[in-house]
Amino acid sequence: NRTYCSLHCQVIDLVNNSLTSRLLICIPILFGSFFNYSQPAPIHFKGDQTSLKGEWNLVMNDFLSLDEVKKSTESVSIEVPGTWNDIDWKRKIIGSFGYGTYFREVVIDNNSSSANLSIEVPEVSIAYQLYANDQLLGNVGKPGKSKSETIPKIDFKVFDFKANPGDTVTLIFHI
């Protein structure tokens, strides 16, 4: 059996309650392929649509805080969209089950006009929590370290957060 997760987010820059620009995050995840560890360059949000597809960091078997993410030396780079089924984590293939932390930095351009951002996460077929830095933006279901701790849920959500021009925001998904 395989567990599939499809995650698609969209960050919307709101100015005076009108849509002025978007940051598009497309993260279909079919829990597998991996790459050797290397810290991907931050994504630069310039107020237009910007895809966050590409390399993300993944730490298996842990739900990391922002401080732990910044100190992490054991993550692997994973192509998103992608799967984690074939990841060699500490000399063991993970397979389709497990839990972990995905993270990636986004730099808000100095010329960005708004600090009010939203992340739209359409239906995802697994539980997750979403953080912008250490701020919990929200969750769908409850990700857990075991089947008994996990409460799966599928739901469409929009999460709001603030980021100033020039800020670096670390997006963290506990899945």
Side-chain angles (χ1 to χ4, degrees), residues 2-123:
R2 288 189 174 177
T3 302
Y4 294 98
C5 170
S6 177
L7 179 60
H8 170 90
C9 308
Q10 184 173 356
V11 176
I12 304 167
D13 183 5
L14 297 172
V15 176
N16 300 322
N17 294 324
S18 64
L19 181 63
T20 59
S21 58
R22 295 177 173 176
L23 170 62
L24 180 64
I25 307 170
C26 295
I27 312 174
I29 303 169
L30 302 173
F31 292 0
S33 61
F34 79 102
F35 302 88
N36 292 328
Y37 175 76
S38 65
Q39 187 75 19
I43 293 170
H44 292 274
F45 174 57
K46 298 179 181 177
D48 296 330
Q49 286 193 359
T50 304
S51 175
L52 293 183
K53 289 194 290 187
E55 287 184 67
W56 279 65
N57 290 299
L58 172 64
V59 173
M60 292 300 301
N61 305 322
D62 212 347
F63 292 139
L64 302 180
S65 68
L66 178 62
D67 286 340
E68 292 168 322
V69 159
K70 290 182 182 261
K71 295 175 187 174
S72 177
T73 60
E74 294 186 327
S75 68
V76 293
S77 285
I78 183 166
E79 190 70 21
V80 174
T83 64
W84 71 18
N85 292 340
D86 299 324
I87 287 180
D88 181 349
W89 183 257
K90 298 184 179 180
R91 299 180 189 244
K92 181 179 176 186
I93 301 298
I94 294 300
S96 61
F97 299 100
Y99 63 96
T101 302
Y102 282 83
F103 58 96
R104 181 79 192 260
E105 288 186 338
V106 177
V107 176
I108 310 301
D109 190 84
N110 285 326
N111 297 324
S112 181
S113 61
S114 175
N116 298 314
L117 299 171
S118 295
I119 298 180
E120 176 187 288
V121 185
E123 294 176 353

